[in-house]
Amino acid sequence: MAHPFSKLFDAALRKSTPEDNVLLKEAELLRAKGYSVEEIHGVLLKMQQGLVRDQDQEVAQEAAEEISRYL
């Protein structure tokens, strides 16, 4: 079963570019709402591992690195 954040993050990734990381914005929004940083970071890392396109991997990596600052 997919994590509840997965659908949200997939949609954000499709809207993201290297210049405008919508995925990071969504992750930050979830963190601001009080969701566990560990959980958000874990979902981002798992997502990053499953990506094929280099651009998508870079966007996901940036989001995971930025969120990891709060760990």
Side-chain angles (χ1 to χ4, degrees):
M1 182 175 208
H3 192 281
F5 296 162
S6 295
K7 187 175 181 180
L8 176 69
F9 285 170
D10 285 338
L13 181 63
R14 284 191 297 274
K15 297 175 187 175
S16 293
T17 65
E19 296 80 27
D20 183 24
N21 193 333
V22 179
L23 179 59
L24 175 57
K25 291 176 185 175
E26 289 294 337
E28 290 284 3
L29 184 61
L30 289 172
R31 186 189 66 78
K33 288 182 178 180
Y35 288 97
S36 163
V37 173
E38 291 84 4
E39 183 178 11
I40 296 167
H41 185 253
V43 174
L44 288 170
L45 287 178
K46 190 171 185 177
M47 176 185 213
Q48 179 186 358
Q49 293 169 354
L51 296 172
V52 176
R53 290 182 35 197
D54 288 341
Q55 178 178 328
D56 291 346
Q57 287 179 347
E58 290 172 15
V59 167
Q61 180 180 355
E62 178 186 8
E65 286 174 0
E66 290 296 318
I67 288 296
S68 72
R69 295 180 304 152
Y70 302 106
L71 291 175

